[in-house]
Amino acid sequence: MAIVSSLSTKHLLGIKYITTEDIETIFQTANNFKEVLNRPVKKVPSLRDVTIANLFFENSTRTKMSFELAEKRLSADVINFSASSSSVKKGETLLDTVNNILSMKVDMIVMRHPAPGSAYYLSEHIDASIINAGDGTHEHPTQALLDAYSIQEKVGNIKGKKIVIVGDIKHSRVALSNIMCLNKLGAKVAVCGPPTLIPKNIETLGVKVFYQVKEALEWCDVANVLRIQLERQDIKYIPSLREYARYFGINKQLLESLSKKIVIMHPGPINRGVELSSDVADSDQSIILEQVENGVAVRMAILYLLAGNVSN
Ligand code: CP
């Protein structure tokens, strides 16, 4: 597969920095890779001789494995770095760590880091292409792209579709990237959660706000449900998880009380029994595992399109 088109940017730092045309190019390329992933031989030589370092300074299951698989399906050479077993523990700076890795002839960096803006900071100081795999509470662009791709696959053209993001909007990089991505694609976007977990002035991002989950679900075609990020909450924003589940948790009874059948999404990891009951997470209305499956094709597309910047 020859590289047919590249993106308007050398890095994927956030949805904020890419165009609607970039998103459409990523989706078209992901369609090709999805077809490849359904073949008996799932590997293509597109990134042969390209070396990619996956730097994870924060825990991950889906994103880390999805990137690694995408890179291997493209025949890239892959090295993995985890902060817990590295010399970062001895006080090395982020920039020194990355420059040392790049001096081993690494071409691209995929990075998850707890500090908002860390991927942008790196892009200002190094030459290699950087893909942001989640930076603190800021952005998670590949999650938003795979979410939008999965919505389009399920309900068709996103333009005009109503999508509500339910949960801990305040601490969620997924929420911010989703809002920007869906807005670029012409969706009608809303958020729903307790007032303490909805950032002030969020309407300025062009979203509607609901404080009652049933009202939000009646409005939408698709609900993307997020978990409560206790690890990012320095103070208590909700009285208890039990109370959150009672007022904002989505269960089968609630879904069946709606006047239409909506699509349920979740970026993972799920806290079963808190934001979603198991019978909803595992129901035919849920596309949670399709999101994970599409993540590999979407990440293959992003890596492939950005690899056009690698000089061999
Ligand atoms: N959705 C997501 O980013 O999951 P991980 O934290 O497991 O990568």
Side-chain angles (χ1 to χ4, degrees):
M1 198 169 170
I3 296 182
V4 286
S5 171
S6 63
L7 304 180
S8 67
T9 163
K10 178 178 170 179
H11 311 284
L12 178 60
L13 304 175
I15 300 294
K16 185 163 57 184
Y17 307 102
I18 61 173
T19 63
T20 307
E21 290 70 36
D22 288 333
I23 298 173
E24 282 159 3
T25 303
I26 290 167
F27 287 3
Q28 281 158 15
T29 313
N31 286 341
N32 295 335
F33 284 125
K34 191 153 181 185
E35 188 266 314
V36 168
L37 291 173
N38 285 311
R39 289 183 199 160
V41 178
K42 299 171 176 57
K43 203 161 171 164
V44 287
S46 315
L47 296 198
R48 195 181 284 152
D49 296 329
V50 174
T51 305
I52 304 173
N54 298 317
L55 314 185
F56 278 72
F57 292 86
E58 211 187 53
N59 294 342
S60 170
T61 300
R62 279 145 291 270
T63 312
K64 187 167 186 286
M65 296 192 76
S66 178
F67 265 114
E68 190 171 343
L69 201 53
E71 291 152 2
K72 288 180 172 167
R73 298 285 194 228
L74 291 166
S75 305
D77 293 319
V78 180
I79 54 171
N80 287 304
F81 164 97
S82 134
S84 57
S85 56
S86 75
S87 290
V88 168
K89 289 269 174 210
K90 300 175 194 164
E92 190 169 59
T93 66
L94 173 62
L95 201 50
D96 278 342
T97 300
V98 173
N99 273 326
N100 276 273
I101 291 168
L102 289 176
S103 69
M104 298 179 217
K105 309 288 179 220
V106 166
D107 301 299
M108 295 172 82
I109 298 282
V110 173
M111 184 174 79
R112 170 168 289 190
H113 197 283
S118 47
Y120 186 92
Y121 166 77
L122 264 195
S123 76
E124 298 270 278
H125 292 91
I126 64 170
D127 281 337
S129 281
I130 296 159
I131 299 176
N132 180 4
D135 59 334
T137 54
H138 180 223
E139 279 228 39
H140 192 348
T142 61
Q143 181 69 46
L145 288 164
L146 75 88
D147 286 347
Y149 182 86
S150 303
I151 294 171
Q152 185 172 286
E153 188 178 67
K154 185 72 181 174
V155 303
N157 193 348
I158 286 181
K159 193 163 189 217
K161 295 289 184 315
K162 294 177 182 168
I163 295 136
V164 66
I165 305 165
V166 182
D168 182 356
I169 312 299
K170 190 180 185 75
H171 300 97
S172 175
R173 56 194 174 209
V174 174
L176 185 60
S177 289
N178 259 270
I179 289 168
M180 288 191 281
C181 188
L182 294 168
N183 273 341
K184 285 187 182 195
L185 294 171
K188 293 179 177 151
V189 188
V191 295
C192 173
T196 49
L197 292 177
I198 305 275
K200 279 197 182 82
N201 303 321
I202 193 156
E203 294 90 344
T204 57
L205 295 179
V207 299
K208 252 172 107 67
V209 180
F210 291 99
Y211 297 108
Q212 303 288 332
V213 75
K214 181 157 183 184
E215 209 183 307
L217 298 185
E218 279 291 4
W219 173 84
C220 76
D221 302 302
V222 178
N224 196 353
V225 186
L226 310 178
R227 81 188 163 88
I228 300 289
Q229 303 204 19
L230 291 174
E231 75 276 22
R232 297 195 201 282
Q233 298 188 8
D234 44 358
I235 58 165
K236 264 184 165 290
Y237 290 85
I238 50 170
S240 69
L241 286 181
R242 217 163 76 161
E243 208 149 339
Y244 179 83
R246 182 161 168 214
Y247 289 102
F248 290 93
I250 299 175
N251 56 36
K252 199 76 180 166
Q253 194 185 3
L254 176 57
L255 282 192
E256 282 171 357
S257 73
L258 304 176
S259 55
K260 62 181 173 186
K261 204 168 171 179
I262 62 166
V263 177
I264 297 289
M265 305 175 68
H266 195 302
I270 305 174
N271 285 321
R272 286 177 181 258
V274 180
E275 65 270 14
L276 283 182
S277 62
S278 279
D279 54 6
V280 170
D282 303 329
S283 72
D284 65 353
Q285 284 173 256
S286 155
I287 59 163
I288 294 169
L289 293 180
E290 285 94 326
Q291 290 172 257
V292 178
E293 181 186 339
N294 286 334
V296 179
V298 169
R299 290 185 172 111
M300 283 173 83
I302 293 161
L303 290 160
Y304 171 77
L305 292 164
L306 290 179
N309 299 304
V310 172
S311 49
N312 281 316

PDB file of all heavy atoms in Angstrom, residues 59-64 112 140 143 173 267-269, ligand 1:
ATOM      1  N   ASN A  59      -0.694   4.420  33.330  1.00  0.00           N
ATOM      2  CA  ASN A  59      -1.244   3.100  33.012  1.00  0.00           C
ATOM      3  C   ASN A  59      -2.121   3.117  31.774  1.00  0.00           C
ATOM      4  O   ASN A  59      -2.773   4.109  31.476  1.00  0.00           O
ATOM      5  CB  ASN A  59      -2.092   2.584  34.186  1.00  0.00           C
ATOM      6  CG  ASN A  59      -1.236   2.326  35.409  1.00  0.00           C
ATOM      7  OD1 ASN A  59      -0.024   2.216  35.293  1.00  0.00           O
ATOM      8  ND2 ASN A  59      -1.861   2.237  36.564  1.00  0.00           N
ATOM      9  N   SER A  60      -2.151   1.990  31.098  1.00  0.00           N
ATOM     10  CA  SER A  60      -3.024   1.836  29.920  1.00  0.00           C
ATOM     11  C   SER A  60      -3.138   0.356  29.593  1.00  0.00           C
ATOM     12  O   SER A  60      -2.157  -0.380  29.698  1.00  0.00           O
ATOM     13  CB  SER A  60      -2.420   2.574  28.727  1.00  0.00           C
ATOM     14  OG  SER A  60      -3.107   2.254  27.542  1.00  0.00           O
ATOM     15  N   THR A  61      -4.318  -0.057  29.177  1.00  0.00           N
ATOM     16  CA  THR A  61      -4.478  -1.400  28.599  1.00  0.00           C
ATOM     17  C   THR A  61      -4.774  -1.242  27.115  1.00  0.00           C
ATOM     18  O   THR A  61      -3.979  -1.628  26.253  1.00  0.00           O
ATOM     19  CB  THR A  61      -5.641  -2.163  29.286  1.00  0.00           C
ATOM     20  OG1 THR A  61      -5.341  -2.270  30.672  1.00  0.00           O
ATOM     21  CG2 THR A  61      -5.807  -3.555  28.682  1.00  0.00           C
ATOM     22  N   ARG A  62      -5.942  -0.631  26.793  1.00  0.00           N
ATOM     23  CA  ARG A  62      -6.408  -0.555  25.416  1.00  0.00           C
ATOM     24  C   ARG A  62      -5.460   0.235  24.508  1.00  0.00           C
ATOM     25  O   ARG A  62      -5.040  -0.246  23.456  1.00  0.00           O
ATOM     26  CB  ARG A  62      -7.800   0.122  25.344  1.00  0.00           C
ATOM     27  CG  ARG A  62      -8.947  -0.780  25.654  1.00  0.00           C
ATOM     28  CD  ARG A  62     -10.026  -0.006  26.369  1.00  0.00           C
ATOM     29  NE  ARG A  62      -9.535   0.326  27.690  1.00  0.00           N
ATOM     30  CZ  ARG A  62      -9.703  -0.471  28.753  1.00  0.00           C
ATOM     31  NH1 ARG A  62     -10.420  -1.539  28.641  1.00  0.00           N
ATOM     32  NH2 ARG A  62      -9.177  -0.184  29.925  1.00  0.00           N
ATOM     33  N   THR A  63      -5.135   1.466  24.895  1.00  0.00           N
ATOM     34  CA  THR A  63      -4.375   2.346  24.004  1.00  0.00           C
ATOM     35  C   THR A  63      -2.992   1.761  23.725  1.00  0.00           C
ATOM     36  O   THR A  63      -2.531   1.743  22.580  1.00  0.00           O
ATOM     37  CB  THR A  63      -4.257   3.752  24.642  1.00  0.00           C
ATOM     38  OG1 THR A  63      -5.551   4.143  25.084  1.00  0.00           O
ATOM     39  CG2 THR A  63      -3.736   4.767  23.669  1.00  0.00           C
ATOM     40  N   LYS A  64      -2.337   1.269  24.766  1.00  0.00           N
ATOM     41  CA  LYS A  64      -0.977   0.745  24.615  1.00  0.00           C
ATOM     42  C   LYS A  64      -0.971  -0.482  23.703  1.00  0.00           C
ATOM     43  O   LYS A  64      -0.193  -0.573  22.758  1.00  0.00           O
ATOM     44  CB  LYS A  64      -0.432   0.399  26.001  1.00  0.00           C
ATOM     45  CG  LYS A  64       1.021   0.002  26.051  1.00  0.00           C
ATOM     46  CD  LYS A  64       1.478   0.007  27.511  1.00  0.00           C
ATOM     47  CE  LYS A  64       2.953  -0.246  27.648  1.00  0.00           C
ATOM     48  NZ  LYS A  64       3.283  -1.648  27.396  1.00  0.00           N
ATOM     49  N   ARG A 112       1.906   8.567  26.230  1.00  0.00           N
ATOM     50  CA  ARG A 112       0.880   8.891  27.241  1.00  0.00           C
ATOM     51  C   ARG A 112       1.613   9.453  28.449  1.00  0.00           C
ATOM     52  O   ARG A 112       2.617   8.880  28.892  1.00  0.00           O
ATOM     53  CB  ARG A 112       0.082   7.649  27.643  1.00  0.00           C
ATOM     54  CG  ARG A 112      -0.806   7.935  28.847  1.00  0.00           C
ATOM     55  CD  ARG A 112      -1.801   6.871  29.118  1.00  0.00           C
ATOM     56  NE  ARG A 112      -2.845   6.855  28.101  1.00  0.00           N
ATOM     57  CZ  ARG A 112      -3.956   6.134  28.207  1.00  0.00           C
ATOM     58  NH1 ARG A 112      -4.157   5.386  29.265  1.00  0.00           N
ATOM     59  NH2 ARG A 112      -4.868   6.154  27.254  1.00  0.00           N
ATOM     60  N   HIS A 140      -7.163  13.243  24.280  1.00  0.00           N
ATOM     61  CA  HIS A 140      -6.905  11.838  23.934  1.00  0.00           C
ATOM     62  C   HIS A 140      -7.409  11.684  22.485  1.00  0.00           C
ATOM     63  O   HIS A 140      -8.459  11.104  22.227  1.00  0.00           O
ATOM     64  CB  HIS A 140      -7.671  10.930  24.901  1.00  0.00           C
ATOM     65  CG  HIS A 140      -7.279   9.488  24.859  1.00  0.00           C
ATOM     66  ND1 HIS A 140      -6.486   8.944  23.870  1.00  0.00           N
ATOM     67  CD2 HIS A 140      -7.596   8.452  25.685  1.00  0.00           C
ATOM     68  CE1 HIS A 140      -6.321   7.651  24.109  1.00  0.00           C
ATOM     69  NE2 HIS A 140      -6.983   7.326  25.202  1.00  0.00           N
ATOM     70  N   GLN A 143      -8.503   8.324  20.822  1.00  0.00           N
ATOM     71  CA  GLN A 143      -9.765   7.793  21.363  1.00  0.00           C
ATOM     72  C   GLN A 143     -10.947   8.495  20.697  1.00  0.00           C
ATOM     73  O   GLN A 143     -11.915   7.852  20.292  1.00  0.00           O
ATOM     74  CB  GLN A 143      -9.811   7.992  22.883  1.00  0.00           C
ATOM     75  CG  GLN A 143     -11.074   7.445  23.529  1.00  0.00           C
ATOM     76  CD  GLN A 143     -11.150   5.920  23.505  1.00  0.00           C
ATOM     77  OE1 GLN A 143     -10.181   5.243  23.829  1.00  0.00           O
ATOM     78  NE2 GLN A 143     -12.288   5.366  23.101  1.00  0.00           N
ATOM     79  N   ARG A 173     -10.083  13.769  29.449  1.00  0.00           N
ATOM     80  CA  ARG A 173      -9.475  14.123  28.155  1.00  0.00           C
ATOM     81  C   ARG A 173     -10.297  13.548  27.002  1.00  0.00           C
ATOM     82  O   ARG A 173     -10.316  14.096  25.908  1.00  0.00           O
ATOM     83  CB  ARG A 173      -8.029  13.613  28.105  1.00  0.00           C
ATOM     84  CG  ARG A 173      -7.885  12.118  28.355  1.00  0.00           C
ATOM     85  CD  ARG A 173      -6.446  11.740  28.625  1.00  0.00           C
ATOM     86  NE  ARG A 173      -6.271  10.360  29.005  1.00  0.00           N
ATOM     87  CZ  ARG A 173      -5.296   9.921  29.781  1.00  0.00           C
ATOM     88  NH1 ARG A 173      -4.426  10.751  30.300  1.00  0.00           N
ATOM     89  NH2 ARG A 173      -5.176   8.643  30.057  1.00  0.00           N
ATOM     90  N   PRO A 267     -15.356   4.425  26.491  1.00  0.00           N
ATOM     91  CA  PRO A 267     -13.957   4.273  26.059  1.00  0.00           C
ATOM     92  C   PRO A 267     -13.188   3.218  26.844  1.00  0.00           C
ATOM     93  O   PRO A 267     -12.108   2.802  26.423  1.00  0.00           O
ATOM     94  CB  PRO A 267     -13.359   5.665  26.309  1.00  0.00           C
ATOM     95  CG  PRO A 267     -14.207   6.244  27.402  1.00  0.00           C
ATOM     96  CD  PRO A 267     -15.585   5.682  27.216  1.00  0.00           C
ATOM     97  N   GLY A 268     -13.736   2.795  28.003  1.00  0.00           N
ATOM     98  CA  GLY A 268     -13.018   1.867  28.874  1.00  0.00           C
ATOM     99  C   GLY A 268     -11.936   2.601  29.646  1.00  0.00           C
ATOM    100  O   GLY A 268     -11.480   3.647  29.207  1.00  0.00           O
ATOM    101  N   PRO A 269     -11.500   2.086  30.787  1.00  0.00           N
ATOM    102  CA  PRO A 269     -12.046   0.917  31.460  1.00  0.00           C
ATOM    103  C   PRO A 269     -13.399   1.231  32.120  1.00  0.00           C
ATOM    104  O   PRO A 269     -13.600   2.338  32.610  1.00  0.00           O
ATOM    105  CB  PRO A 269     -10.977   0.605  32.520  1.00  0.00           C
ATOM    106  CG  PRO A 269     -10.254   1.892  32.757  1.00  0.00           C
ATOM    107  CD  PRO A 269     -10.328   2.670  31.482  1.00  0.00           C
TER     108      PRO A 269
HETATM  109  N1   CP B   1      -9.643   4.228  26.634  1.00  0.00           N
HETATM  110  C1   CP B   1      -8.389   4.198  27.142  1.00  0.00           C
HETATM  111  O1   CP B   1      -7.593   5.114  26.970  1.00  0.00           O
HETATM  112  O2   CP B   1      -8.106   3.048  27.836  1.00  0.00           O
HETATM  113  P1   CP B   1      -6.683   2.729  28.480  1.00  0.00           P
HETATM  114  O3   CP B   1      -6.473   3.679  29.614  1.00  0.00           O
HETATM  115  O4   CP B   1      -6.776   1.279  28.928  1.00  0.00           O
HETATM  116  O5   CP B   1      -5.639   2.916  27.414  1.00  0.00           O
END
